Amino acid sequence: GRIALADRMTLGPMSIIAPPFQDPAAEAHRLDRTEYWNDIAIKTARRPGAGRYYHRRLAEVYRYVIPPGLRVLELGCGRGELLAALQPAYGVGVDLSPEMIAQAVARHPQLHFIHADALDFSPRETFDVIILSDLINDLWDVQRMFEKLRSFCTPRSLIVMNFYSRLWEWPLAAAFKLGLAYPMQRQNWMTREDVQNLLYLSGFEVTREWREVLWPLRTPGVDALFNKFLVKLWPMSELALTNFMLARPAPGAVAETGSERPDVSVIIAARNEAGNIQNIFDRVPEMGAGTELIFVEGGSTDQTYETIEKTIAARPERRARVFRQTGSGKADAIR
């Protein structure tokens, strides 16, 4: 096994460069996640805890989808247990936690592991299968991650991912408070529709999606009944802990250029937001072939409308318009 632990790293034909973070919030998120997963790696090195059965069940599902002998990349690989279970001909694991990577190297010397933020990982090769297991709810920028995947996919590459269901947000929080599991960092808690839309925007098409794991604890007889049979039946499937999704690069998908890029309209329902108008002009990026800001102000008791008018006049480089709402409520303003 090989391990790379520097900002500029080389592994076989791959080169990974971790650029400096420009967004202080993104950097804080990265440091917070690194510390958290290092701590989890140390605490669970010898005692896997209650999540052991859950991860074993995930590995069974992944083995059913992914045959052995392929070129497999796993982003957010942890200790590499899932990657090793798939028996790839060539396996690469990437993780933010140096402690996780160190343990992965010790346990699975036949695989290649890289210490890097998945959002900054840029290999110079392609893979048959790319895995994101319980990763996207932990990412700073999910769409950016999906867009990066395109550069190391072939037209036949398969993206396989699983992520927590939003229905389990409160049960998992209760488990942590009862001491049945380790505390969880803030999650994105994305719906299946959210993920499908982001994949579509990033040039992928979803080929299959389903649910797994109704009963996440090892309970002889009960776990097999729930996780191999009942989870396949509606409406029980809607109560499952994790969503699985398969995606491939969309046929003929290419980078948008020139006239193919769409104009973008950003609609802002503004009520008592005088103090935020300048921030909107500063922070909304130019997207597609051009971006316009459309403000709809209604019911404000401060100077929101006047502030928007003044800011539009002071910022002629931004396409912006403002309207007074004739009805009431946010939905009315958007319509």
Side-chain angles (χ1 to χ4, degrees):
R2 305 177 189 171
I3 180 171
L5 292 171
D7 285 339
R8 183 179 179 91
M9 299 162 286
T10 302
L11 177 59
M14 296 187 297
S15 177
I16 303 91
I17 300 175
F21 282 78
Q22 301 298 321
D23 186 342
E27 172 67 356
H29 178 273
R30 182 182 70 86
L31 294 175
D32 184 55
R33 258 46 180 189
T34 300
E35 181 180 356
Y36 172 81
W37 287 112
N38 278 341
D39 184 57
I40 293 294
I42 294 169
K43 289 180 177 178
T44 62
R46 296 185 178 181
R47 298 185 62 188
R52 183 175 184 179
Y53 170 77
Y54 169 72
H55 292 290
R56 190 166 66 242
R57 178 57 187 160
L58 289 186
E60 291 176 357
V61 177
Y62 274 92
R63 283 197 299 268
Y64 180 78
V65 175
I66 303 169
L70 299 179
R71 295 172 56 84
V72 181
L73 167 67
E74 183 181 5
L75 299 173
C77 66
R79 296 187 182 92
E81 305 292 351
L82 174 58
L83 184 62
L86 298 175
Q87 301 178 344
Y90 176 64
V92 176
V94 178
D95 201 273
L96 186 64
S97 164
E99 184 63 36
M100 285 288 189
I101 289 294
Q103 293 184 26
V105 169
R107 296 183 183 202
H108 308 291
Q110 77 280 17
L111 303 174
H112 305 276
F113 294 100
I114 300 168
H115 169 222
D117 189 326
L119 287 169
D120 297 316
F121 177 66
S122 299
R124 294 176 180 171
E125 59 183 327
T126 57
F127 296 87
D128 301 316
V129 180
I130 301 170
I131 297 171
L132 296 87
S133 180
D134 287 330
L135 176 65
I136 62 173
N137 274 357
D138 208 43
L139 288 173
W140 176 254
D141 189 333
V142 178
Q143 185 172 348
R144 179 182 157 202
M145 181 75 265
F146 288 161
E147 290 170 350
K148 284 183 69 69
L149 294 184
R150 290 282 306 173
S151 64
F152 35 101
C153 281
T154 71
R156 305 178 110 184
S157 293
L158 179 66
I159 311 297
V160 188
M161 69 184 76
N162 72 282
F163 51 96
Y164 290 133
S165 166
R166 288 191 66 179
L167 293 177
W168 279 75
E169 180 176 2
W170 296 112
L172 288 175
F176 304 142
K177 289 183 179 180
L178 293 173
L180 300 176
Y182 289 102
M184 181 182 287
Q185 299 286 77
R186 265 176 77 180
Q187 301 285 294
N188 294 322
W189 292 111
M190 304 183 74
T191 66
R192 300 194 299 270
E193 293 76 15
D194 291 334
V195 177
Q196 289 172 348
N197 284 337
L198 290 178
L199 285 166
Y200 171 77
L201 292 172
S202 304
F204 291 93
E205 61 176 2
V206 175
T207 59
R208 183 188 172 197
E209 57 98 7
W210 73 100
R211 267 68 66 198
E212 294 284 353
V213 189
L214 269 175
W215 190 265
L217 300 175
R218 176 68 178 125
T219 312
V222 175
D223 57 78
L225 173 64
F226 275 72
N227 297 328
K228 293 187 178 181
F229 299 102
L230 294 183
V231 76
K232 310 297 182 186
L233 305 176
W234 188 89
M236 297 297 291
S237 60
E238 297 299 320
L239 302 177
L241 170 57
T242 192
N243 300 303
F244 267 82
M245 200 167 288
L246 306 184
R248 292 186 182 276
V254 296
E256 294 175 343
T257 58
S259 61
E260 297 176 355
R261 302 172 65 194
D263 289 331
V264 178
S265 296
V266 180
I267 303 173
I268 302 129
R271 180 170 180 249
N272 293 331
E273 295 289 352
N276 286 326
I277 302 306
Q278 186 64 49
N279 278 335
I280 292 172
F281 276 80
D282 290 340
R283 299 181 64 181
V284 173
E286 287 291 337
M287 297 171 280
T291 299
E292 64 174 349
L293 305 176
I294 301 177
F295 292 89
V296 184
E297 185 279 331
S300 296
T301 56
D302 62 6
Q303 299 295 308
T304 296
Y305 188 87
E306 292 77 9
T307 301
I308 296 171
E309 284 190 316
K310 291 178 181 178
T311 309
I312 290 175
R315 299 288 295 273
E317 78 281 4
R318 297 302 308 257
R319 294 166 56 191
R321 303 177 69 186
V322 59
F323 298 90
R324 281 200 187 275
Q325 184 178 358
T326 55
S328 61
K330 180 178 180 180
D332 174 81
I334 298 298
R335 286 193 294 268

